[in-house]
Amino acid sequence: MADNSVPSFKASDLVIQLSSTLKAKSDVFTFGTVFTDHMLTIEWSATEGWQAPLIQPFGNLSLNPACSSLHYGIQLFEGLKAYRGDDNRLRLFRPMLNMNRMANSAKRACLPAFDQSELLECIRRLVEIDQDWVPQSDSASVYIRPTFISTEPTLGVKKPAQALLYVILCPVGAYFNTGGKGLSLWADPKYTRAWKGGTGDCKMGGNYGCSLSAQYDAVDYGCQQVLWLYGEDHQITEAGTMNIFLHWINEDGDEELATPPLDGIILPGVTRQSILELTREWDEFKVTERYLTMSQLCCALKQQRVKELFGSGTACMICPIEDIVYQGENLHIPCQEENSQLTSRIAKELTDIQYGRTPSDWTFLV
Amino acid sequence: MADNSVPSFKASDLVIQLSSTLKAKSDVFTFGTVFTDHMLTIEWSATEGWQAPLIQPFGNLSLNPACSSLHYGIQLFEGLKAYRGDDNRLRLFRPMLNMNRMANSAKRACLPAFDQSELLECIRRLVEIDQDWVPQSDSASVYIRPTFISTEPTLGVKKPAQALLYVILCPVGAYFNTGGKGLSLWADPKYTRAWKGGTGDCKMGGNYGCSLSAQYDAVDYGCQQVLWLYGEDHQITEAGTMNIFLHWINEDGDEELATPPLDGIILPGVTRQSILELTREWDEFKVTERYLTMSQLCCALKQQRVKELFGSGTACMICPIEDIVYQGENLHIPCQEENSQLTSRIAKELTDIQYGRTPSDWTFLV
């Protein structure tokens, strides 16, 4: 239902310019390297408001070299996927959660508001047009990247008076190539991903640019990703670009699935929220949003109370964590018996919803 | 002297494509809205290395919509100025400090290294070509904006394999339009500009995008800029996009000029460094890099120990601060007698160097 209180573009105004030539599709993709034939662009200016949305051939943007998305990081993005089900229908997974988060990021970045349902409908049309790109495979999908940048062509640090919202699509397989093993993480308080009063709870570009250097330090230490710590007590916050979950027997002897609370420094992940809702629905163990510190994790590992540690996110879905390098030590997260593996069970339930094998109101048909 | 240990572009390889038409020059400029006729662009790729630097007509950049400067804030910039002296010669002010800081930012952003002297020589040539844009005025100059962005056209969060370094120029007058009054600042711990383990000591885009929202809260509270606080004890860190200086009688009864130390969350400003060096040279009062908290400032204001508070930066040079809104109160910084005004004296000494009235090894002739 359209929210008429926000001045917005309308999907009914969509202008569609189809590409005269279509690209050849191949099967093997490194994440985010191949794009489909079309993209969605929607221009905004303070004087003219939102223009009609346009679906046009994928191609370069022409940007003023002074534009403040390139100087002051006035930019944000989203990530969601389109899945081809066994029934050959295309589905998105809880896309309004992405639209809501995008609106929150836009507010934080001083970019203009828009009607979230109208954007979703424009995205649906784009996916429909490039539907042949969505693979018939449980391990592949089309990744949808809504992006929102300032195109204000002046150097004063100020609220943009011009902006561009655009959406590009890329067929993707698995995000990490770990050869079936769990991830290894490097945990060092030297770098901080996000901080109270910052933008860690929004998908703004600056959160990622500042994390890159740590990522390469992690690789130098023989790890694949960073385990982001926070504060004097080395709180566990996120893993790489994922939320993090600990399945353990907690200090009180209770079986618990725990993830850090949304206190401003944690990205409110769609997969995170879905895992919380799914496992709370099961009602088989405690499911908690709580602070977790490295000393709590180390203690639990010594006492063999850790069952599983994993990351979650749209790009990777669920990713088990096998090792953490922390203060010169390698903390190994023990493998658990096959039948108790929580990650496999969650991954199956989510995949069954995404690919249409389990009916769910979390799916949105394209 | 060229540093041959770093693979770099060379100024001697410069290719120059002059614009066939020149823009009309006008006298009144809002900061960063009007650009000169030419720009410098230098492309880099992991496979080909640095390409020949190119001076070409100012114009739009053509960027892949997936490029990681637009998604992950992999971008940084610098700011320096070219001044036209009374002798009609053009001068830059300590430009190697900017080149060094740019190299540091590039390292933090995982962008490639370059020879700083070669970049300075390319910039010198660009300013020389657009020299007619540099106004003959003590209150105007040409602002030089070196910018360095990732042009990696893929969505994985990783070190860019393609990048673009470019420099644009704009004639500028005063940065703030305060009508001769001091700035008013809004101090609220709700927002944090930078944090330990982050990028506050680099000129990366993300530092600015995340500050914009606070800036508009400041305006809502009737202030012009944000006074950035840090930590439980509300340390004073920066003011808007400026470093901050307090001239006061300190707790020990000593006259002191104080500014926060470079502990990772403070931008190492060129004007900041120059003010420290200049006033240490005078040897008339203590000049200290130290922590300053809001409670120390409030106490000093009550006891009438505050002589002056001001911001410093390349865009504004020196900017007196007159009011701070903090915890619901308006803290007024008293005006001081004309003959003790430190800001005027520092501004005059720096301006005399920048415009060539005082010979100095801080100037670099174009």
Side-chain angles (χ1 to χ4, degrees):
Chain A
M1 202 169 60
D3 174 2
N4 290 312
S5 62
V6 177
S8 183
F9 53 86
K10 306 278 174 228
S12 56
D13 295 334
L14 251 176
V15 175
I16 297 177
Q17 295 170 354
L18 292 182
S19 180
S20 54
T21 55
L22 298 183
K23 300 178 201 170
K25 295 169 190 69
S26 78
D27 264 355
V28 184
F29 309 111
T30 303
F31 182 88
T33 58
V34 171
F35 297 90
T36 67
D37 294 300
H38 297 90
M39 64 181 184
L40 168 71
T41 59
I42 319 175
E43 290 181 24
W44 173 88
S45 75
T47 48
E48 307 269 321
W50 285 104
Q51 300 304 295
L54 173 64
I55 290 176
Q56 61 179 315
F58 182 93
N60 277 9
L61 305 174
S62 177
L63 295 175
N64 189 299
C67 86
S68 59
S69 51
L70 294 174
H71 294 257
Y72 306 130
I74 304 175
Q75 57 180 246
L76 58 96
F77 67 93
E78 272 301 323
L80 62 163
K81 285 176 174 173
Y83 308 89
R84 183 179 295 279
D86 298 347
D87 58 359
N88 215 24
R89 300 285 312 259
L90 302 189
R91 288 174 179 81
L92 310 184
F93 181 74
R94 311 188 81 179
M96 277 308 285
L97 294 181
N98 296 92
M99 299 299 106
N100 290 339
R101 190 171 60 184
M102 189 168 181
N104 287 340
S105 300
K107 193 170 176 206
R108 187 67 175 83
C110 294
L111 286 167
F114 54 88
D115 185 314
Q116 300 161 32
S117 310
E118 297 290 336
L119 178 57
L120 179 55
E121 174 58 15
C122 292
I123 290 174
R124 193 195 65 73
R125 291 291 297 281
L126 177 66
V127 173
E128 196 173 50
I129 286 170
D130 279 349
Q131 60 181 285
D132 290 348
W133 285 88
V134 187
Q136 184 119 43
S137 158
D138 250 31
S139 61
S141 54
V142 154
Y143 180 81
I144 303 167
R145 171 57 63 97
T147 316
F148 197 4
I149 63 171
S150 164
T151 49
E152 168 75 37
T154 66
L155 293 183
V157 178
K158 63 175 187 188
K159 196 180 287 201
Q162 292 177 45
L164 176 70
L165 195 166
Y166 64 93
V167 183
I168 53 179
L169 307 177
C170 46
V172 293
Y175 188 81
F176 294 115
N177 185 4
T178 59
K181 289 188 64 187
L183 278 184
S184 58
L185 303 180
W186 178 68
D188 191 313
K190 181 180 164 193
Y191 293 105
T192 313
R193 189 195 83 92
W195 69 104
K196 303 281 167 70
T199 59
D201 55 350
C202 295
K203 279 188 95 70
M204 283 177 66
N207 297 346
Y208 299 82
C210 79
S211 78
L212 213 54
S213 180
Q215 165 64 21
Y216 284 90
D217 277 12
V219 170
D220 286 345
Y221 282 88
C223 299
Q224 291 155 304
Q225 292 285 319
V226 178
L227 178 59
W228 296 102
L229 306 180
Y230 186 78
E232 298 293 317
D233 54 350
H234 295 183
Q235 290 166 34
I236 293 168
T237 63
E238 297 197 13
T241 56
M242 301 180 288
N243 292 119
I244 193 162
F245 282 86
L246 175 64
H247 183 209
W248 68 336
I249 306 300
N250 71 14
E251 308 92 326
D252 302 327
D254 295 326
E255 183 179 347
E256 183 182 58
L257 180 65
T259 192
L262 302 180
D263 62 350
I265 65 166
I266 303 294
L267 189 84
V270 174
T271 312
R272 176 189 178 280
Q273 181 177 334
S274 302
I275 292 171
L276 288 174
E277 290 176 22
L278 195 69
T279 52
R280 279 175 179 153
E281 181 90 3
W282 295 349
D283 198 21
E284 294 176 15
F285 41 74
K286 281 185 79 168
V287 178
T288 318
E289 292 170 83
R290 53 164 284 179
Y291 292 103
L292 295 165
T293 66
M294 281 307 293
S295 69
Q296 287 172 327
L297 176 64
C298 291
C299 176
L301 279 168
K302 262 188 210 136
Q303 299 176 351
Q304 302 191 305
R305 290 189 281 112
V306 175
K307 299 166 82 75
E308 219 160 341
L309 187 69
F310 60 91
S312 75
T314 293
C316 67
M317 182 143 84
I318 300 248
C319 192
I321 293 159
E322 202 162 306
D323 292 284
I324 298 173
V325 174
Y326 174 63
Q327 292 182 335
E329 271 191 83
N330 185 62
L331 306 174
H332 182 68
I333 318 296
C335 289
Q336 44 286 311
E337 321 84 80
E338 199 60 35
N339 58 4
S340 77
Q341 231 171 354
L342 187 64
T343 47
S344 312
R345 183 172 165 198
I346 294 172
K348 182 175 185 315
E349 291 218 11
L350 291 180
T351 308
D352 282 349
I353 293 171
Q354 289 160 348
Y355 288 89
R357 292 184 288 268
T358 305
S360 167
D361 55 10
W362 285 356
T363 58
F364 172 91
L365 281 168
V366 171
Chain B
M1 203 169 60
D3 173 0
N4 290 313
S5 62
V6 177
S8 183
F9 52 86
K10 306 277 173 227
S12 56
D13 295 335
L14 250 177
V15 175
I16 297 176
Q17 296 169 356
L18 292 182
S19 180
S20 54
T21 55
L22 299 182
K23 301 178 202 170
K25 295 168 190 72
S26 78
D27 263 355
V28 185
F29 309 111
T30 303
F31 183 88
T33 57
V34 172
F35 297 90
T36 66
D37 294 301
H38 297 90
M39 64 182 183
L40 168 71
T41 59
I42 318 174
E43 291 182 23
W44 173 87
S45 75
T47 49
E48 308 269 321
W50 285 105
Q51 301 303 296
L54 173 64
I55 289 176
Q56 61 179 313
F58 182 94
N60 278 9
L61 305 174
S62 178
L63 295 175
N64 189 298
C67 85
S68 59
S69 51
L70 294 174
H71 294 257
Y72 306 131
I74 304 175
Q75 57 180 244
L76 58 95
F77 66 92
E78 270 303 325
L80 63 163
K81 286 176 173 172
Y83 309 88
R84 183 178 296 278
D86 298 345
D87 57 359
N88 217 23
R89 299 286 312 258
L90 302 188
R91 288 173 179 81
L92 310 184
F93 182 73
R94 312 189 82 181
M96 278 309 285
L97 294 181
N98 295 94
M99 300 298 106
N100 290 339
R101 189 171 60 185
M102 189 168 182
N104 287 340
S105 299
K107 194 171 176 205
R108 187 66 177 81
C110 293
L111 286 167
F114 54 88
D115 185 313
Q116 299 160 32
S117 310
E118 297 291 337
L119 178 57
L120 179 55
E121 174 58 16
C122 293
I123 290 174
R124 194 195 66 73
R125 291 291 298 279
L126 177 66
V127 173
E128 194 173 50
I129 286 171
D130 279 349
Q131 60 182 285
D132 289 349
W133 285 88
V134 186
Q136 183 119 42
S137 158
D138 249 31
S139 60
S141 54
V142 154
Y143 181 81
I144 304 168
R145 171 57 63 97
T147 316
F148 198 4
I149 62 171
S150 163
T151 49
E152 168 74 39
T154 67
L155 293 181
V157 178
K158 63 174 185 189
K159 196 181 286 201
Q162 292 178 44
L164 176 70
L165 195 166
Y166 64 93
V167 182
I168 52 180
L169 307 177
C170 45
V172 293
Y175 188 82
F176 295 116
N177 185 3
T178 58
K181 288 188 66 189
L183 277 184
S184 58
L185 303 180
W186 178 68
D188 191 313
K190 179 179 167 194
Y191 294 104
T192 313
R193 189 195 82 93
W195 69 106
K196 304 280 165 73
T199 58
D201 56 351
C202 295
K203 279 189 94 71
M204 284 177 65
N207 297 346
Y208 299 82
C210 79
S211 78
L212 212 54
S213 182
Q215 165 65 22
Y216 285 90
D217 276 14
V219 171
D220 285 347
Y221 281 89
C223 299
Q224 291 155 307
Q225 292 285 318
V226 177
L227 179 60
W228 296 101
L229 306 180
Y230 187 77
E232 299 294 316
D233 54 350
H234 296 180
Q235 289 166 34
I236 293 169
T237 63
E238 296 196 14
T241 56
M242 299 179 289
N243 291 118
I244 193 163
F245 282 85
L246 174 63
H247 182 208
W248 68 336
I249 307 299
N250 71 13
E251 309 92 327
D252 302 326
D254 295 326
E255 183 178 347
E256 182 182 58
L257 179 65
T259 192
L262 302 180
D263 62 351
I265 65 167
I266 302 293
L267 188 83
V270 174
T271 312
R272 175 189 179 281
Q273 181 177 332
S274 303
I275 292 171
L276 288 174
E277 291 176 22
L278 195 69
T279 53
R280 279 176 179 151
E281 182 89 5
W282 296 349
D283 198 21
E284 296 177 14
F285 42 74
K286 280 186 80 170
V287 178
T288 318
E289 293 171 80
R290 55 165 284 179
Y291 293 103
L292 295 165
T293 65
M294 280 307 293
S295 70
Q296 287 171 327
L297 177 64
C298 290
C299 175
L301 279 169
K302 262 187 210 135
Q303 298 176 353
Q304 302 191 305
R305 289 189 283 109
V306 175
K307 299 169 80 76
E308 218 159 342
L309 188 68
F310 59 93
S312 75
T314 293
C316 67
M317 183 143 82
I318 301 247
C319 193
I321 294 159
E322 200 161 310
D323 292 284
I324 299 174
V325 175
Y326 174 63
Q327 293 182 334
E329 272 191 81
N330 185 62
L331 306 173
H332 181 69
I333 318 295
C335 289
Q336 45 286 310
E337 323 81 81
E338 198 62 33
N339 58 3
S340 77
Q341 229 169 358
L342 189 62
T343 47
S344 312
R345 182 172 166 198
I346 294 172
K348 180 173 187 312
E349 292 217 10
L350 291 180
T351 309
D352 281 348
I353 293 171
Q354 289 160 349
Y355 289 88
R357 291 184 287 267
T358 305
S360 166
D361 55 10
W362 286 356
T363 58
F364 173 90
L365 281 169
V366 172

